[in-house]
Amino acid sequence: MDDDIVALLRERDQKSIELVAERYEKLLRYIAVTILGGSETEVEECINDVYLKIWTHGTEFDWEKASFRTWMKAITRNTALNYLRKVSRRREMEDTQEMETAREEDSLRTEYIDYSANPELGMIRKEEVLALEHVLGELKKKDRELVLRRFYYLQNTRQIAEAMEMSENAVDSKISRLKKKIRKRYEKEVAK
């Protein structure tokens, strides 16, 4: 479906970005808004960065690794998370008195580890990711969607309930059970 966009990206034709915007802007914006929240300025800057990354790295896209749509969603998610970290750091510097509070609330930044600095940690991380992918692959489609919405796209209970036509209590209950199930399977998978 997106062969035309990929071909234009490889030819460095600016029409490729116009096609991306035409077909996928709503999806990309939805992901960015879910992660960044309400600030239209921040969302707009994030989306512009996404388009730049698609343009810059479009020649590296590989059909064998993922669909073009999946590749763009990953770029958008990662860009939004990086932007969230950047905005958090900027806010910390503007108000040094609230620096400790901001660190506690910004779990994304405090949990980030640069694995590139230590190849052994990188290999362990890669094995952990593969184990987690295997565990998630075993889930039913609806369960996998719940997990991805909550932990990959960072949607809240209300957003998930509306999108999946469930009650908020049902979403919270199901997420809780799935976390336990995934943790148990993941520990077995990693122990292999």
Side-chain angles (χ1 to χ4, degrees), residues 18-190:
E18 292 171 19
L19 287 174
V20 168
E22 182 181 303
R23 290 182 196 167
Y24 295 108
E25 177 144 6
K26 285 183 182 178
L27 172 66
L28 303 181
R29 185 170 296 280
Y30 177 77
I31 294 168
V33 167
T34 300
I35 294 171
L36 294 173
S39 171
E40 185 59 33
T41 305
E42 292 172 2
V43 170
E44 200 60 42
E45 287 180 24
C46 176
I47 294 297
N48 288 335
D49 285 349
V50 168
Y51 288 139
L52 179 62
K53 287 179 182 180
I54 290 170
W55 173 256
T56 305
H57 300 289
T59 57
E60 301 166 16
F61 172 73
D62 184 356
W63 285 109
E64 292 180 15
K65 292 183 180 177
S67 71
F68 185 73
R69 179 184 171 105
T70 300
W71 181 73
M72 284 190 314
K73 286 169 37 178
I75 288 174
T76 306
R77 176 188 178 273
N78 293 339
T79 302
L81 289 172
N82 288 338
Y83 197 82
L84 184 64
R85 288 184 198 107
K86 184 173 85 173
V87 168
S88 295
R89 282 193 297 268
R90 187 180 334 138
R91 287 178 185 152
E92 286 178 15
M93 293 184 74
E94 289 171 356
D95 192 0
T96 55
Q97 291 178 344
E98 295 180 19
M99 194 164 146
E100 287 301 319
T101 306
R103 272 195 207 130
E104 291 171 9
E105 293 175 354
D106 188 8
S107 65
L108 290 172
R109 187 178 52 75
T110 57
E111 292 176 11
Y112 175 76
I113 299 171
D114 184 8
Y115 291 102
S116 64
N118 186 328
E120 288 177 12
L121 285 177
M123 289 296 291
I124 292 169
R125 175 74 174 147
K126 195 174 201 173
E127 289 173 6
E128 290 172 347
V129 167
L130 289 173
L132 185 57
E133 284 176 355
H134 184 259
V135 170
L136 291 176
E138 293 176 345
L139 294 176
K140 294 177 186 172
K141 185 177 179 181
K142 188 172 183 177
D143 292 347
R144 189 169 41 252
E145 182 180 352
L146 272 168
V147 170
L148 289 174
R149 283 181 180 277
R150 172 66 75 160
F151 300 106
Y152 189 78
Y153 294 113
L154 306 176
Q155 292 180 341
N156 62 36
T157 301
R158 183 182 46 77
Q159 291 170 318
I160 295 170
E162 288 174 7
M164 298 188 69
E165 298 178 355
M166 298 171 66
S167 71
E168 291 184 26
N169 287 339
V171 169
D172 287 337
S173 176
K174 188 72 171 174
I175 291 286
S176 178
R177 287 194 308 271
L178 283 169
K179 280 172 49 178
K180 289 175 188 170
K181 179 180 180 179
I182 290 169
R183 184 175 291 122
K184 189 175 179 180
R185 282 289 297 123
Y186 173 77
E187 288 171 0
K188 284 182 182 177
E189 192 71 26
V190 171

